[in-house]
Amino acid sequence: MSKSLIPDPIAQGLASGWSHLDASTLTQDRDFDTDVVIIGTGAGGALAAELLSKAGLRVLMVEHGAFYSSSDFRQQERWAYPNLYQDGAGRKTKDQAIGILQGRTVGGSTTVNWTTSIRTPKGALAYWHEQFGVDFADELTPYFDKACERLSISEWALTPNANNGLIQRGCEKLGWSYTIIHRNVNGCANTGYCGMGCPINAKQSMLVTTIPTALSHGATLISRAQAWQLQWQGDAVSGLLVHPVDAQFQPNPAIAIRIKAKHYVLAGGAINSPALLLRSNVPNPSGRLGKHTYLHPSVICGALFDEDVKGAMGAPQSVYSDQFVWPSDPQAMGFKLEAAPVHPVLMASKLAVDGQAHADLMAQFNQLAVTIALLRDGYHVEAQGGQVELDSHGQPMLDYPLTEYFWRGVRQAYLAMAELQFAAGAKAVMPIHQQAQLYSSLDEAKAAINALPLERYQATVASAHVMGGCNFSADPANGVVRPDGRHHQLANLSVLDGSVLPTSLGANPQLTIYGLTWRNTELLIEQLRKA
Amino acid sequence: MNRRQFIKTGLALGTAAALGVTLYPVVTAESSTEPAAQGPARTVLLALVPALLFGALPKDTHAAQQQIAATVDAALAFLPYLPQRQQHDLQQLFVMLDTELLRLALAGHLTPLADLPVAARLALLHGWRDSFIALLNQAYSGLRELLYGSYYGNPEHWAPIAYQPLEFRSYE
């Protein structure tokens, strides 16, 4: 297909005169002055940019990733992962026991996520009220409505692909609950490449919605630039130091971009936002900065079917099951069941076998379905998340301990996934664990799963959701920011991203971040106008 | 890793430490994109690809060599995207595996990896996988993810798995 047949709103916008600087082209220092600087262009930062620029404020966006668009995207993982993901999709926890998929491109993770849009679960809202003194139970609803309208979020109307269909079929057979997923798409062609950047701009990511609006309202975007440090004095931030990055997104400290703003918005996502504040040595009287970082650590179970599954094709996620996410037993770790798209690099690198066995499984690539269980962290004394630290280069590392409580949840998750897959007609299932094999009956799988040694490195554990590290709380002793996102100690600093969440969600986070950011940005605009 | 290997590894790691070699020194290391740093990495990866991808590589020797070389090229091209910390760790691992005494520490023998039978190379990796030493577990996981990803990222290797993605324009 010719390049010209697919309209590219980014290319058109740039041609119309949008203000964009690719910082990797800089050969000398630069200074900027603006009303509001926003660090990060994902679900929080970009939505804030749209609202603030429409309110007439001068907005400057800073993004570590590149300004790629549909003209650049390739439906190839070997291009997408290094160019669109944090650390080339190779981000790991400090002990390398958990792989973390997180976007690093203009639009952030929204450019590469799988479009699943879920309102904040009631269980999370109730817990926040009880533990953090923040009652969002009804308050966020109108903002979810606005976000759904803005981003064309609606229930997926097409038949789920076979990889998701198995969840629906298995749940129906077992009497488990399931939900058809709401997706932020408009004109989706059901191709299945959401994770590599939508090739037809159907996904209503920040890249093709709020960022174009902000730029059309006069905002400036600096891409390929890593926000390095906030300068502050007393109770106010006085400047932001930014460094350009090179072609592999490594910072170049020899060149400085200095930004002065009336207000600073931090929206680099959990892990990156706390890291910037740690580098800046900001006040941290609660001691919670960088701590309680949550991942929805997820485990995987593969299933072989006689018929083709072709898990690479079609909407990556269209059905989930919350049968186990909010268990009545307070000692049980809840988990959400979803599908994951089956592309070769993702699959080959996660399968826990080698050599001929690996080749044999890959040869059945199109018959392989993949179910994931996302464990809900943050609600138990043994699930207090991880801690962001800085390495000797000043870059973040997440130290995330895996506890007995977590491993008990993993065993239950493996058992549930195997039962679901067999109920859906799988001929064999295989938890992705170094000592697991293909099991051809549920009884065999149950016996094997109950005997599996569950410890780090043995089980493949992955995450696509980062949350926390700058949690909100009504009480400054219990959080980094206020419920409206304003920093408890630095008056002209807001945090508007997933790092403000005080727990994980038990749900994919993008819609929660949209709703919360919309509310808090409206409040910020009011406050800035009064000031 | 059996008890004998474990003891040998411990002894050799101790020797390495006594010589002032650490697995993860905090230094400003060269980028792995620089040719000088690629030597050990290339040597080690060229030896490990045939073990991990045994069964996937074509039977024809020439074709297999081409795929191995392409996979190692892709892996080396990917490394600079990792955080500098991880690049340093991997670089240290490659140097150790390419240096006789240090190879004794990690592999339990003095034979160059490329001179070992393919099955022995895979056994070496599985020794790391099953080791009590977390650094070896990490080395195993990191190398296999890197190499499987590099192999299956290449469209020329997709025919056996019948993966046929849509292309919306010409990519190369």
Side-chain angles (χ1 to χ4, degrees), chain A residues 396-470:
Chain A
M397 297 182 292
L398 178 63
D399 185 8
Y400 190 104
L402 295 170
T403 63
E404 282 303 312
Y405 168 79
F406 167 75
W407 290 118
R408 285 198 302 275
V410 166
R411 200 178 302 281
Q412 295 309 310
Y414 279 151
L415 290 166
M417 288 190 284
E419 187 172 8
L420 179 75
Q421 291 168 331
F422 277 120
K427 67 176 182 181
V429 309
M430 186 171 78
I432 305 302
H433 180 289
Q434 286 175 359
Q435 296 191 34
Q437 299 166 10
L438 277 168
Y439 307 118
S440 54
S441 74
L442 180 57
D443 285 345
E444 186 191 7
K446 279 183 174 175
I449 290 167
N450 280 319
L452 280 177
L454 292 178
E455 51 194 69
R456 65 179 184 169
Y457 308 128
Q458 295 259 344
T460 297
V461 184
S463 165
H465 304 153
V466 289
M467 297 153 282
C470 297

Side-chain angles (χ1 to χ4, degrees), chain A residues 136-476:
Chain A
F136 281 148
D138 299 317
E139 203 173 337
L140 289 180
T141 302
Y143 296 99
F144 291 144
D145 293 341
K146 287 183 182 190
C148 287
E149 187 179 343
R150 174 71 183 93
L151 303 173
S152 303
I153 293 171
S154 61
E155 186 176 285
W156 182 236
L158 299 186
T159 304
N161 71 1
N163 200 29
N164 284 272
L166 87 85
I167 296 178
Q168 182 173 6
R169 195 164 63 247
C171 284
E172 284 172 348
K173 201 156 178 187
L174 294 166
W176 294 358
S177 68
Y178 71 88
T179 303
I180 302 295
I181 286 176
H182 285 60
R183 307 182 62 222
N184 56 322
V185 294
N186 184 8
C188 176
N190 206 20
T191 62
Y193 299 102
C194 307
M196 301 177 215
C198 182
I200 58 171
N201 301 306
K203 181 182 1 176
Q204 298 300 285
S205 67
M206 298 299 94
L207 175 67
V208 300
T209 57
T210 53
I211 289 168
T213 304
L215 290 168
S216 296
H217 281 78
T220 292
L221 169 65
I222 304 177
S223 65
R224 289 188 185 271
Q226 184 177 25
W228 190 249
Q229 207 162 45
L230 293 168
Q231 284 98 39
W232 59 275
Q233 202 168 24
D235 69 347
V237 178
S238 55
L240 171 67
L241 173 65
V242 176
H243 293 304
V245 298
D246 65 16
Q248 284 82 29
F249 303 97
Q250 306 291 351
N252 172 12
I255 295 179
I257 302 167
R258 292 173 292 263
I259 300 168
K260 295 230 173 275
K262 296 186 178 77
H263 197 85
Y264 297 78
V265 171
L266 183 51
I271 300 181
N272 297 332
S273 286
L276 175 64
L277 294 179
L278 288 169
R279 282 195 297 268
S280 309
N281 199 24
V282 301
N284 178 27
S286 72
R288 293 181 70 96
L289 175 59
K291 295 180 181 171
H292 306 283
T293 302
Y294 300 107
L295 291 175
H296 284 154
S298 304
V299 291
I300 310 164
C301 195
L304 280 173
F305 285 76
D306 283 322
E307 65 276 16
D308 272 358
V309 174
K310 292 196 171 177
M313 308 291 290
Q317 293 189 323
S318 51
V319 182
Y320 67 75
S321 173
D322 274 354
Q323 179 70 25
F324 301 100
V325 78
W326 300 99
S328 54
D329 177 1
Q331 295 307 314
M333 192 170 189
F335 54 88
K336 187 181 196 76
L337 297 174
E338 294 183 342
V342 188
H343 292 285
V345 171
L346 211 50
M347 176 54 49
S349 59
K350 297 299 178 202
L351 284 177
V353 291
D354 295 313
Q356 187 66 54
H358 190 276
D360 290 345
L361 272 175
M362 289 301 290
Q364 301 174 82
F365 182 79
N366 282 332
Q367 291 78 48
L368 195 58
V370 173
T371 306
I372 54 176
L374 300 78
L375 287 106
R376 181 173 54 77
D377 46 353
Y379 296 82
H380 187 275
V381 69
E382 280 192 63
Q384 290 302 301
Q387 178 172 349
V388 176
E389 302 170 359
L390 300 177
D391 69 13
S392 60
H393 301 273
Q395 300 294 344
M397 297 182 292
L398 178 63
D399 185 8
Y400 190 104
L402 295 170
T403 63
E404 282 303 312
Y405 168 79
F406 167 75
W407 290 118
R408 285 198 302 275
V410 166
R411 200 178 302 281
Q412 295 309 310
Y414 279 151
L415 290 166
M417 288 190 284
E419 187 172 8
L420 179 75
Q421 291 168 331
F422 277 120
K427 67 176 182 181
V429 309
M430 186 171 78
I432 305 302
H433 180 289
Q434 286 175 359
Q435 296 191 34
Q437 299 166 10
L438 277 168
Y439 307 118
S440 54
S441 74
L442 180 57
D443 285 345
E444 186 191 7
K446 279 183 174 175
I449 290 167
N450 280 319
L452 280 177
L454 292 178
E455 51 194 69
R456 65 179 184 169
Y457 308 128
Q458 295 259 344
T460 297
V461 184
S463 165
H465 304 153
V466 289
M467 297 153 282
C470 297
N471 77 278
F472 60 64
S473 173
D475 180 355

Side-chain angles (χ1 to χ4, degrees), chain A residues 13-36:
Chain A
L14 287 169
S16 75
W18 283 351
S19 174
H20 168 237
L21 170 65
D22 177 346
S24 68
T25 62
L26 290 179
T27 55
Q28 58 187 22
D29 293 358
R30 288 282 301 271
D31 291 278
F32 291 87
D33 184 82
T34 188
D35 290 335
V36 183

Side-chain angles (χ1 to χ4, degrees), chain A residues 496-511:
Chain A
L496 300 174
D497 63 13
S499 71
V500 302
L501 301 175
T503 62
S504 80
L505 298 167
N508 305 46
Q510 71 166 341
L511 185 48

